[in-house]
Amino acid sequence: MSVFVWIETFEGRAVPSSWEALGAARIIAGATSTDITALVFGENAAAVAASAGQYGAANAIVAEDEALRDYLLERYAALLSELVRSHRPSAVLAVASNRGRELLASAAADTNSGLISDVIELRVEDGRIIGKRPAYAGKVLMEMRANTATAFVTIRGRAFPPAASAKGAEPAIKIAAAVGAADAIATEIESFAPEVGKINLADAAIIVSGGRGMANNPKAPPEGISGDAAKIWRAKDGFENTLRPLADVLGAAVGASRAAVDAGYIAYDHQVGQTGKVVNPDLYIACGISGAIQHQAGMRGSKIIVAINKDAQAPIFKLARYGIVGDLYEVLPALTAALEQRLAN
Amino acid sequence: MHIVTFTRSTPDTAAKVWVDSDGKVTWGDVATVVNPWDEYALEETIAQATNGGGESTVIAIGSALHNDALKHSMAMGLKHALRIDAAGADTHDSLVWSALAAGAISKLGDVDLVIFGKESIDVATDQHSYQLARRLGWTMLSYVSAILEADYAAGAIKVERMLEQGKQVVSGQLPAVISVMKGINEPRYPNFLGIRKAAKASIPVWTAADLGVEAPEAATSVLGYMNPPARDVSTEILDAGDVSATARTLAERLFKEKVL
Ligand SMILES: Cc1cc2nc3c(=O)[nH]c(=O)nc-3n(C[C@H](O)[C@H](O)[C@H](O)COP(=O)(O)OP(=O)(O)OC[C@H]3O[C@@H](n4cnc5c(N)ncnc54)[C@H](O)[C@@H]3O)c2cc1C
Ligand SMILES: Nc1ncnc2c1ncn2[C@@H]1O[C@H](COP(=O)(O)O)[C@@H](O)[C@H]1O
């Protein structure tokens, strides 16, 4: 009846938000007087399991065989479902990342277990797990209870503090192997183009976002570029040479409004909002973003919001703790310089 | 060749949504829209079915509220629409949902591909597609940003997936369930003719008995809805005279807030 936590790994290392899932698991383990078992599959799993011990896992189930080297939904789900059937954990937790979502939903279906996703608060009542989660783009909260012996829960990134680490704590390790025939897999990965060095929006503690206002870059585009292409050039140059330097000083991820994405100023994977990513960083700096309700849906949960906009009436100021009314192309370089100086001290 | 997509009606993204004194979620009399993420799935379904010379069907599970989304889908160009109404269909339990959805797919019989939007903007669980794929025992490919090849005769599909760590090209066997991202296409607007045709269409409603499935007991229960605590923000507009001084003031404030 242990609490299972799937530790997501990428290229042999734990995805840091997995420690948040261990933190959330403590709430359940504490309330039901059980312990935590980390599940680590794939490359370097044993070493990752050792770290999980330091973050509060008393046990670990490790599966390192070649068939599991790279994450593949079918194989990982088959193994997770098998482990749930044989160990009957009270809960299975993971972060609501792309993989966490699909893996837990699949294994919950395989084992006919209740799944509560994107949870921001957890409690246990009469032995049943109850999760609070945002709905309707955070305009409403809902509470859901899992009615089955095993409850599957995905947690929203940055909603739970990571478990504290204790040096030297060693989990008791069990070894598991891949389930099913190696060739009974319906998909094959043909190629993968990693985006190195990019900070994931969902995990970022600080985000600097740009909107349609990024197009008002005073810099002139090269000869021969005019019209919409000139706008795109100006905005792209602004994201690269004005906004990114600020993000770099802060170690921040770069976000954007849908208007900026749709106009071709920046790629879609930067979009924050109702049809983009939902983020909840400590600090969100919105530059040249008006603050439409659909944008707010993605960033309202940020701890401190800073708005930089030349229009004092922009709705974003209503959400912001601090605002600067001004041209972002003057404010951002000044802010970058001020922070560089302040951080150097 | 037959492509199926699922959709639902959701309140407009600009609607104010709140929990009323009876504990019910309401958005006043604001009209619903087709779930915005599903516009990409609907467009892709139409495009795939048209290119492959096959059939396209859109399905909603739940109350008559979802007829609007089905009509919108038909107005866009989906050939067939149907609604499934059964006990538990509106409980937000994805295991009940996927049992009904799998029943519908099996009853249709000849389905090659099921296309989902990434998530619904109301409950936003991003879990329905996976559970349907597991129930059917079909290939699952999520977060698809492009269909690179689809050979319905040979039963093969190749897609590009947009993941947190980068882009992946994956090939898989049909039948399959996929979920698609914004950017995969430009969803069309329904034209006048489409809207007229859809307005006239009657949408068949299937029950659990029609599907021959017994919906399982709900594995989850919604205990209640609540309004989020009001965000208490007092905005301080910084202006220290010149832009450098203002920027330094902001930097100081951020240090004091301990967010740096
Ligand atoms: C179904 C649906 C889903 C949507 N999903 C999303 C979503 O996920 N994310 C999202 O962001 N939007 C979303 N939207 C779009 C949303 O409604 C807005 O259109 C969008 O957020 C506006 O982006 P923006 O603030 O960058 O542009 P605008 O509203 O045009 O604002 C630009 C701002 O920049 C300021 N500005 C201009 N130049 C400067 C300068 N030099 N210095 C400082 N400030 C300057 C202006 O004063 C203005 O306030 C969605 C809409 C719909 C209908
Ligand atoms: N009741 C429903 N009827 C039809 N489609 C649905 C229903 N609920 C969710 N979906 C679809 O499933 C996908 C994922 O939704 P969700 O898992 O709720 O985020 C979206 O494309 C939704 O439109």
Side-chain angles (χ1 to χ4, degrees):
Chain A
M1 289 300 282
S2 188
V3 177
F4 277 8
V5 177
W6 178 59
I7 306 295
E8 181 173 356
T9 58
F10 181 67
E11 292 178 339
R13 300 169 76 153
V15 171
S17 53
S18 293
W19 309 140
E20 296 168 20
L22 281 173
R26 287 220 162 153
I27 298 171
I28 300 173
T32 55
S33 312
T34 56
D35 57 10
I36 299 171
T37 301
L39 308 182
V40 195
F41 307 157
E43 185 186 352
N44 210 25
V48 172
S51 319
Q54 296 181 0
Y55 284 98
N59 322 291
I61 299 177
V62 165
E64 249 179 348
D65 51 288
E66 190 52 33
L68 297 165
R69 187 185 161 81
D70 294 316
Y71 172 89
L72 206 57
L73 175 62
E74 295 97 329
R75 287 213 177 96
Y76 277 48
L79 176 55
L80 178 56
S81 301
E82 176 58 31
L83 291 172
V84 168
R85 283 188 200 106
S86 54
H87 291 76
R88 304 184 171 279
S90 57
V92 181
L93 268 71
V95 176
S97 61
N98 292 172
R99 291 165 167 181
R101 287 169 169 218
E102 62 174 19
L103 178 63
L104 265 60
S106 300
D110 290 355
T111 58
N112 282 313
S113 307
L115 165 62
I116 316 173
S117 66
D118 227 15
V119 164
I120 57 170
E121 268 176 56
L122 269 174
R123 64 195 168 88
V124 180
E125 219 175 82
D126 300 330
R128 292 284 185 233
I129 289 163
I130 297 172
K132 193 183 269 183
R133 60 187 305 278
Y136 299 88
K139 293 168 190 170
V140 161
L141 299 172
M142 69 197 277
E143 261 195 337
M144 276 185 113
R145 183 186 65 209
N147 303 328
T148 47
T150 300
F152 282 69
V153 177
T154 63
I155 60 160
R156 177 168 284 194
R158 300 180 49 78
F160 293 86
S165 81
K167 281 266 163 311
E170 287 275 338
I173 292 191
K174 267 195 211 152
I175 307 293
V179 179
D183 56 0
I185 293 297
T187 59
E188 191 185 337
I189 300 169
E190 300 206 350
S191 68
F192 181 63
E195 288 177 30
V196 279
K198 209 178 85 182
I199 301 164
N200 187 352
L201 278 174
D203 299 337
I206 304 179
I207 295 173
V208 184
S209 283
R212 203 195 307 266
M214 294 303 294
N216 294 332
N217 187 351
K219 222 191 260 180
E223 204 72 32
I225 299 183
S226 60
D228 272 352
K231 256 194 178 166
I232 294 176
W233 186 92
R234 284 200 169 92
K236 280 189 163 161
D237 179 84
F239 267 109
E240 268 324 297
N241 299 315
T242 306
L243 192 137
R244 186 169 297 279
L246 172 61
D248 286 346
V249 168
L250 293 169
V254 172
S257 72
R258 171 159 164 180
V261 169
D262 286 0
Y265 303 163
I266 189 163
Y268 168 59
D269 51 354
H270 295 272
Q271 184 179 318
V272 171
Q274 194 147 19
T275 48
K277 295 208 171 84
V278 176
V279 298
N280 47 347
D282 294 333
L283 174 61
Y284 188 90
I285 306 182
C287 313
I289 293 177
S290 63
I293 187 149
Q294 297 93 349
H295 189 76
Q296 292 187 17
M299 45 69 80
R300 203 176 356 216
S302 310
K303 208 156 116 194
I304 299 282
I305 294 168
V306 172
I308 298 166
N309 195 303
K310 65 179 186 189
D311 173 10
Q313 304 305 319
I316 189 80
F317 286 119
K318 292 219 173 67
L319 278 189
R321 176 69 189 93
Y322 300 107
I324 297 180
V325 179
D327 186 334
L328 74 93
Y329 281 98
E330 289 169 17
V331 176
L332 293 196
L335 184 57
T336 308
L339 286 165
E340 247 167 3
Q341 206 176 31
R342 187 64 174 71
L343 288 164
N345 294 337
Chain B
M1 194 269 269
H2 191 171
I3 319 269
V4 171
T5 184
F6 285 88
T7 194
R8 56 182 280 125
S9 298
T10 57
D12 190 281
T13 50
K16 183 173 179 306
V17 179
W18 72 99
V19 181
D20 68 13
S21 51
D22 295 332
K24 289 214 177 71
V25 177
T26 177
W27 47 91
D29 46 18
V30 178
T32 59
V33 296
V34 66
N35 174 33
W37 288 100
D38 292 347
E39 291 184 28
Y40 306 99
L42 290 163
E43 176 64 38
E44 201 56 35
T45 303
I46 296 168
Q48 291 294 323
T50 308
N51 292 343
E55 295 297 317
S56 58
T57 300
V58 55
I59 306 177
I61 299 184
S63 72
L65 171 80
H66 301 299
N67 282 348
D68 289 344
L70 294 175
K71 293 259 167 170
H72 180 94
S73 310
M74 293 190 90
M76 275 178 80
L78 261 294
K79 279 199 198 155
H80 313 283
L82 64 99
R83 187 160 65 80
I84 294 164
D85 212 347
D90 283 312
T91 57
H92 296 314
D93 183 78
S94 56
L95 279 182
V96 171
W97 189 94
S98 56
L100 295 168
I105 297 295
S106 305
K107 188 173 156 104
L108 289 172
D110 57 351
V111 179
D112 300 280
L113 182 65
V114 177
I115 305 183
F116 279 87
K118 183 184 163 280
E119 63 188 35
S120 60
I121 59 150
D122 50 7
V123 260
T125 65
D126 182 16
Q127 68 197 35
H128 289 84
S129 52
Y130 314 113
Q131 299 204 325
L132 173 62
R134 287 315 270 195
R135 291 227 187 264
L136 293 168
W138 289 9
T139 308
M140 175 74 225
L141 295 165
S142 55
Y143 311 110
V144 169
S145 47
I147 296 183
L148 303 172
E149 288 166 31
D151 186 337
Y152 296 97
I157 189 167
K158 186 152 121 181
V159 304
E160 178 193 77
R161 300 176 65 212
M162 198 170 120
L163 303 175
E164 282 141 351
Q165 299 86 358
K167 285 197 167 136
Q168 188 186 55
V169 173
V170 196
S171 56
Q173 288 163 15
L174 295 175
V177 176
I178 70 172
S179 67
V180 300
M181 302 289 284
K182 177 186 166 188
I184 189 170
N185 55 39
E186 277 296 327
R188 71 193 69 188
Y189 290 103
N191 62 24
F192 177 70
L193 267 178
I195 294 169
R196 258 207 1 208
K197 218 169 121 188
K200 283 198 207 129
S202 73
I203 296 169
V205 179
W206 290 358
T207 63
D210 292 331
L211 302 175
V213 296
E214 208 171 306
E217 232 174 274
T220 55
S221 309
V222 176
L223 299 184
Y225 294 92
M226 53 231 95
N227 290 307
R231 225 189 116 89
D232 181 22
V233 275
S234 52
T235 307
E236 188 184 349
I237 300 290
L238 304 175
D239 185 359
D242 72 284
V243 67
S244 298
T246 306
R248 280 199 300 275
T249 313
L250 176 57
E252 286 313 319
R253 292 286 196 285
L254 296 179
F255 269 95
K256 266 217 193 99
E257 295 277 4
K258 297 197 168 34
V259 288
L260 297 185

